[in-house]
Amino acid sequence: MNRTQKKRLFQWLLAAGIILLALAVLLDGRVSDALGGMLCGMGSGLLALAGSTLLNLRHEAKHPEMARQHDIEQKDERNVAIRNRAKAVSGEALQWAVLAAAWLSIGLDAPLWVPLAATCVFVAKSVLELYLMVRYEREM
């Protein structure tokens, strides 16, 4: 996706965010609180995402030498390895945090589906990790 297409996409997303926020304000009291909150949250998220991306694109257009340097740094092998290692460690931490939340929910007498769902997420992450290890071993 080139710069112009990217800019146009995020301009549309910015407009969609503004529309969703406006709908949330205009429909206040006429729709359920859940729907109003969902509209407000989605609108705010789109507004923030599109706004920050458009500001970054504008900064890159004004400073092309910095943009080129940033692209080189993003594709550098060392930086890619550092990012991948950080993702792996954070995934491990998150996996054990989910399992701890399952144990905590059992201790707090939560409904049965809560610890079961947390345990299923733990198992799914472990299975996916195993699958990806086998797949990557074959590729490398």
Side-chain angles (χ1 to χ4, degrees):
M1 179 180 288
N2 66 24
R3 239 182 76 69
T4 307
Q5 291 173 332
K6 199 176 199 180
K7 184 176 179 181
R8 176 122 14 232
L9 170 69
F10 284 101
Q11 286 172 339
W12 278 104
L13 289 176
L14 184 73
I18 292 170
I19 291 169
L20 288 173
L21 270 174
L23 277 174
V25 171
L26 292 174
L27 296 177
D28 188 33
R30 295 187 187 113
V31 295
S32 69
D33 286 344
L35 181 60
M38 185 176 69
L39 288 172
C40 185
M42 288 174 33
S44 299
L46 283 175
L47 197 63
L49 170 79
S52 67
T53 304
L54 287 171
L55 286 174
N56 281 337
L57 287 173
R58 183 175 166 207
H59 185 268
E60 287 176 0
K62 286 185 176 185
H63 306 284
E65 66 284 346
M66 288 178 65
R68 266 193 306 280
Q69 183 64 27
H70 184 263
D71 286 341
I72 290 170
E73 288 174 1
Q74 288 295 315
K75 295 174 185 172
D76 181 49
E77 282 184 36
R78 181 176 177 269
N79 290 334
V80 170
I82 290 170
R83 275 195 308 276
N84 287 340
R85 187 171 179 188
K87 287 178 186 178
V89 171
S90 66
E92 284 291 316
L94 184 60
Q95 177 182 0
W96 292 107
V98 166
L99 194 59
W103 279 101
L104 182 65
S105 67
I106 291 170
L108 296 175
D109 287 332
L112 182 61
W113 69 268
V114 175
L116 286 178
T119 305
C120 286
V121 169
F122 178 86
V123 170
K125 194 265 182 193
S126 298
V127 168
L128 179 63
E129 186 177 326
L130 206 72
Y131 166 75
L132 290 174
M133 279 193 306
V134 170
R135 179 178 164 198
Y136 292 152
E137 280 181 1
R138 288 182 186 162
E139 289 177 3
M140 293 181 174

Coordinates of all heavy atoms in Angstrom, one line a residue, residues 16-28 31-48:
A16 N -15.0 8.0 10.0 CA -15.8 7.0 10.6 C -15.8 7.1 12.1 O -16.9 7.0 12.8 CB -15.4 5.6 10.2
G17 N -14.7 7.4 12.7 CA -14.6 7.6 14.2 C -15.4 8.8 14.6 O -16.1 8.8 15.6
I18 N -15.3 9.9 13.9 CA -16.1 11.1 14.2 C -17.6 10.8 14.1 O -18.3 11.2 15.0 CB -15.6 12.3 13.3 CG1 -14.2 12.7 13.6 CG2 -16.6 13.5 13.5 CD1 -13.6 13.7 12.6
I19 N -18.0 10.1 13.1 CA -19.4 9.8 12.9 C -19.9 8.9 14.1 O -21.0 9.1 14.6 CB -19.6 9.1 11.5 CG1 -19.4 10.1 10.4 CG2 -21.0 8.5 11.5 CD1 -19.4 9.5 9.0
L20 N -19.1 7.9 14.4 CA -19.5 7.0 15.5 C -19.6 7.8 16.8 O -20.5 7.5 17.6 CB -18.5 5.8 15.7 CG -18.6 4.8 14.6 CD1 -17.5 3.7 14.7 CD2 -20.0 4.1 14.6
L21 N -18.7 8.7 17.1 CA -18.7 9.5 18.3 C -20.0 10.4 18.3 O -20.7 10.5 19.3 CB -17.5 10.3 18.5 CG -16.3 9.7 19.2 CD1 -15.1 10.5 19.2 CD2 -16.7 9.4 20.7
A22 N -20.2 11.0 17.1 CA -21.4 11.9 17.0 C -22.7 11.1 17.2 O -23.6 11.5 17.9 CB -21.4 12.5 15.7
L23 N -22.7 9.9 16.7 CA -23.9 9.0 16.9 C -24.1 8.7 18.4 O -25.2 8.6 18.9 CB -23.8 7.7 16.1 CG -24.2 7.8 14.6 CD1 -23.9 6.4 13.9 CD2 -25.7 8.1 14.5
A24 N -23.0 8.4 19.0 CA -23.1 8.1 20.5 C -23.7 9.2 21.3 O -24.5 9.0 22.2 CB -21.7 7.7 21.0
V25 N -23.3 10.4 20.9 CA -23.8 11.6 21.6 C -25.2 11.9 21.2 O -26.1 12.2 22.1 CB -22.9 12.9 21.3 CG1 -23.5 14.1 21.8 CG2 -21.5 12.7 21.9
L26 N -25.6 11.8 19.9 CA -26.9 12.1 19.5 C -27.9 11.1 19.9 O -29.1 11.4 20.1 CB -26.9 12.2 17.9 CG -26.2 13.4 17.4 CD1 -26.2 13.3 15.8 CD2 -26.8 14.7 17.8
L27 N -27.5 9.8 20.0 CA -28.5 8.8 20.4 C -28.5 8.5 21.9 O -29.1 7.5 22.3 CB -28.1 7.5 19.6 CG -28.3 7.5 18.1 CD1 -27.8 6.2 17.5 CD2 -29.7 7.8 17.7
D28 N -27.8 9.3 22.7 CA -27.8 9.2 24.1 C -29.2 9.2 24.7 O -30.0 10.1 24.5 CB -27.0 10.2 24.8 CG -26.8 10.0 26.3 OD1 -26.7 8.8 26.6 OD2 -26.7 11.0 27.0
V31 N -30.9 4.8 22.8 CA -30.4 3.4 22.7 C -29.9 3.0 24.0 O -29.7 3.7 25.0 CB -29.3 3.3 21.6 CG1 -29.9 3.7 20.2 CG2 -28.1 4.2 22.0
S32 N -29.7 1.7 24.1 CA -29.2 1.1 25.4 C -27.8 1.7 25.7 O -27.1 2.1 24.8 CB -29.1 -0.4 25.3 OG -28.1 -0.8 24.4
D33 N -27.5 1.6 27.0 CA -26.2 2.1 27.4 C -25.1 1.3 26.8 O -24.0 1.8 26.5 CB -26.1 2.1 29.0 CG -26.9 3.2 29.6 OD1 -27.3 4.2 28.9 OD2 -27.2 3.1 30.8
A34 N -25.3 0.0 26.7 CA -24.3 -0.8 26.1 C -24.0 -0.4 24.6 O -22.8 -0.3 24.2 CB -24.7 -2.3 26.1
L35 N -25.0 -0.2 23.9 CA -24.8 0.2 22.5 C -24.1 1.6 22.4 O -23.2 1.9 21.6 CB -26.1 0.2 21.7 CG -26.0 0.6 20.2 CD1 -25.1 -0.3 19.5 CD2 -27.4 0.7 19.6
G36 N -24.6 2.5 23.3 CA -24.0 3.9 23.3 C -22.5 3.8 23.7 O -21.7 4.5 23.1
G37 N -22.2 3.0 24.7 CA -20.8 2.8 25.1 C -20.0 2.2 24.0 O -18.8 2.5 23.8
M38 N -20.6 1.2 23.3 CA -19.8 0.6 22.2 C -19.6 1.6 21.1 O -18.4 1.6 20.5 CB -20.7 -0.6 21.6 CG -19.9 -1.4 20.6 SD -20.9 -2.8 20.0 CE -22.2 -2.0 19.2
L39 N -20.5 2.4 20.7 CA -20.3 3.4 19.7 C -19.3 4.4 20.1 O -18.4 4.8 19.3 CB -21.6 4.2 19.4 CG -22.7 3.4 18.6 CD1 -24.0 4.2 18.6 CD2 -22.3 3.1 17.2
C40 N -19.3 4.8 21.3 CA -18.3 5.8 21.9 C -16.9 5.2 21.9 O -16.0 5.8 21.5 CB -18.7 6.2 23.3 SG -17.7 7.5 24.0
G41 N -16.8 3.9 22.3 CA -15.5 3.3 22.4 C -14.9 3.0 21.0 O -13.7 3.3 20.7
M42 N -15.8 2.6 20.0 CA -15.3 2.3 18.7 C -14.9 3.7 18.0 O -13.9 3.7 17.3 CB -16.3 1.6 17.9 CG -16.5 0.1 18.3 SD -17.8 -0.8 17.5 CE -17.9 -0.1 15.9
G43 N -15.7 4.7 18.2 CA -15.4 6.0 17.6 C -14.1 6.6 18.2 O -13.3 7.1 17.4
S44 N -13.9 6.5 19.5 CA -12.7 7.0 20.1 C -11.5 6.2 19.6 O -10.4 6.8 19.4 CB -12.8 6.9 21.6 OG -13.9 7.7 22.1
G45 N -11.6 4.9 19.5 CA -10.5 4.1 19.1 C -10.1 4.4 17.7 O -8.9 4.6 17.3
L46 N -11.1 4.5 16.8 CA -10.8 4.9 15.4 C -10.2 6.3 15.3 O -9.3 6.5 14.5 CB -12.1 4.8 14.5 CG -12.5 3.4 14.1 CD1 -13.8 3.4 13.4 CD2 -11.5 2.7 13.3
L47 N -10.7 7.2 16.0 CA -10.3 8.5 16.0 C -8.8 8.6 16.4 O -8.0 9.3 15.8 CB -11.1 9.4 16.9 CG -11.0 10.9 16.8 CD1 -11.5 11.3 15.4 CD2 -11.9 11.6 17.8
A48 N -8.4 7.9 17.5 CA -7.1 7.9 18.0 C -6.1 7.2 17.0 O -5.0 7.7 16.7 CB -7.0 7.3 19.4

